[in-house]
Amino acid sequence: MRTFFIIVDEHTDKQRAVAIWNKIRSYLNEQKINYRFSKTRPEFAASTAEKIVRTCPAQQLNECIIMAVGRHSLMLDTIRGIKNAGKKEIPVAFITTEENDTFMEKIGVSSSPIAALKQILNAVRPTYFNLGQVDETTHDSRRLFTDKLDIGFDAYTANSLINARSHNFFSRFHLTFLLKIWNTFTSYINQESFEVTMRVNQKYNFYKHTFSVKIENTPHIANTQQQRSDNELEIELVNNMNFFFYLLFSIARHFGLQYKLPFVHRFTSSQVHLVIKSLEFGQIDGAQMNNRFYDVFFKSFSYPFWYDIDSIPLSDLPKNSKRKKSSAKK
């Protein structure tokens, strides 16, 4: 009999998280689902998941699912804890307590907690999605990401925007676009180029005047791990930037044509080694990272998630997934 081990974060989103968990628990009880749950803070999610895997009997590991209910980082830390246990890749399900989650929208999981729970309970086999892994040798740490990691200009601009004193004022009057324009301009003036050493596809590349680096994950879908052959990261590196090139780059990126520019370099690989010897801003999945040096290894890997995406009505799916399904039918 399948068992759900549920890790709940009721601390970060407080009342919203409590309300969502109460709905989920009521539905599980109504359906007489076999589950166990533990409440934890986000910083303890990895150790909680690791403990579940280490203490679970071997025969029960084949029939258990670990479900995380909380913010995006809780899901990633849950997976990290399972991998740390080193026993078996237990399938993971996730229900967000945030208003939206980009990764969930991309893979087709409903933003409605009960609809997402139905997608989980209706599943009979895992579905594999790609994730990105970051190993930092300078900090001896490991992080996972679903979307992208930015280093340089984009991260610096985002950091400056968040910490701008006038941010609350402009937000109150719905004029944040003016702040973004001004902040982008001042960030361009203040941002200095930096040196990058990058080993990708068994070859070293050296760039002395780098403007920004982006490592992006694409969450493809497959029903079995053997079907996953395209779990690669996309790397974008912008070099030798001046003001005219920046305007050209901004316009080209808006139309998705930036890779036709000679100062924009694009690579795809399942593994990347990146070294930056100067202090640079970074952000991972939109979350700010401390200003730091970088000696990091990036890796793409597939991980089993427990969802039957197509098992609920089309109206309950995210907009992106609706468009994909409609296109497929045509």
Side-chain angles (χ1 to χ4, degrees):
M1 185 177 181
R2 202 171 301 284
T3 303
F4 286 87
F5 291 92
I6 306 175
I7 299 174
V8 183
D9 172 20
E10 288 191 347
H11 302 275
T12 307
D13 293 317
K14 297 180 180 178
Q15 292 183 349
R16 177 179 173 83
V18 171
I20 289 174
W21 168 235
N22 287 338
K23 288 182 181 179
I24 293 170
R25 184 165 54 179
S26 296
Y27 190 86
L28 291 171
N29 291 334
E30 287 174 7
Q31 300 298 316
K32 298 181 180 179
I33 303 299
N34 184 28
Y35 72 95
R36 304 174 191 174
F37 74 94
S38 58
K39 299 176 183 178
T40 185
R41 294 185 178 275
E43 58 266 29
F44 301 126
S47 58
T48 301
E50 184 176 351
K51 183 179 179 181
I52 290 172
V53 177
R54 289 188 183 279
T55 57
C56 186
Q59 59 182 15
Q60 194 175 1
L61 281 178
N62 296 323
E63 295 296 327
C64 77
I65 312 296
I66 297 182
M67 184 193 305
V69 180
R71 286 189 164 239
H72 187 85
S73 57
L74 185 82
M75 179 261 290
L76 293 177
D77 285 336
T78 298
I79 295 174
R80 184 163 58 87
I82 296 171
K83 289 175 70 68
N84 288 345
K87 282 193 172 184
K88 186 179 184 296
E89 289 189 338
I90 308 299
V92 164
F94 173 60
I95 297 177
T96 182
T97 55
E98 299 176 275
E99 292 186 2
N100 54 64
D101 186 290
T102 303
F103 179 68
M104 294 296 108
E105 290 177 1
K106 283 183 178 180
I107 67 176
V109 176
S110 175
S111 57
S112 165
I114 297 303
L117 182 59
K118 290 178 181 178
Q119 290 177 300
I120 294 167
L121 298 179
N122 291 338
V124 295
R125 65 176 65 88
T127 299
Y128 285 79
F129 295 101
N130 290 348
L131 297 175
Q133 179 176 301
V134 187
D135 291 308
E136 301 185 66
T137 59
T138 53
H139 297 84
D140 191 25
S141 65
R142 171 173 293 175
R143 298 182 69 169
L144 306 180
F145 64 98
T146 57
D147 188 19
K148 62 181 178 179
L149 185 145
D150 289 299
I151 301 171
F153 178 74
D154 288 338
Y156 179 55
T157 303
N159 182 275
S160 301
L161 183 63
I162 291 172
N163 294 305
R165 294 181 180 178
S166 54
H167 186 271
N168 291 334
F169 173 81
F170 280 92
S171 298
R172 188 183 305 170
F173 295 99
H174 306 287
L175 297 172
T176 51
F177 71 96
L178 292 176
L179 183 61
K180 287 180 180 179
I181 293 172
W182 173 251
N183 191 71
T184 301
F185 177 72
T186 55
S187 296
Y188 172 80
I189 294 174
N190 295 324
Q191 169 74 16
E192 296 182 359
S193 61
F194 51 95
E195 292 188 21
V196 170
T197 300
M198 182 168 62
R199 185 172 185 266
V200 57
N201 296 326
Q202 308 300 319
K203 180 182 177 182
Y204 279 98
N205 300 273
F206 303 92
Y207 302 94
K208 289 188 176 182
H209 305 287
T210 306
F211 182 70
S212 68
V213 180
K214 180 172 70 175
I215 313 289
E216 188 169 9
N217 171 62
T218 304
H220 298 288
I221 181 173
N223 290 326
T224 65
Q225 192 174 23
Q226 286 70 31
Q227 292 178 10
R228 288 268 34 87
S229 59
D230 52 355
N231 54 333
E232 291 190 335
L233 299 168
E234 292 191 3
I235 304 100
E236 176 189 282
L237 186 144
V238 184
N239 197 45
N240 295 324
M241 182 66 68
N242 58 40
F243 188 69
F244 173 74
F245 282 178
Y246 174 68
L247 293 177
L248 186 62
F249 172 68
S250 299
I251 296 170
R253 186 160 63 174
H254 179 75
F255 293 101
L257 302 173
Q258 69 271 30
Y259 297 123
K260 295 184 180 294
L261 301 174
F263 51 88
V264 180
H265 307 276
R266 180 177 182 267
F267 307 90
T268 57
S269 179
S270 59
Q271 295 185 357
V272 183
H273 182 203
L274 188 71
V275 177
I276 300 174
K277 296 182 179 179
S278 58
L279 288 168
E280 302 298 336
F281 283 95
Q283 65 174 356
I284 183 168
D285 281 347
Q288 298 303 308
M289 301 169 65
N290 295 331
N291 202 7
R292 64 180 70 189
F293 303 99
Y294 292 86
D295 186 352
V296 293
F297 290 88
F298 295 91
K299 175 185 175 182
S300 177
F301 67 97
S302 296
Y303 195 84
F305 286 80
W306 195 259
Y307 294 108
D308 186 343
I309 303 297
D310 301 324
S311 65
I312 61 174
L314 192 64
S315 58
D316 290 336
L317 291 175
K319 292 181 181 179
N320 291 339
S321 297
K322 291 178 187 177
R323 283 195 290 268
K324 290 178 182 177
K325 282 184 124 180
S326 298
S327 301
K329 288 181 180 179
K330 289 179 183 178

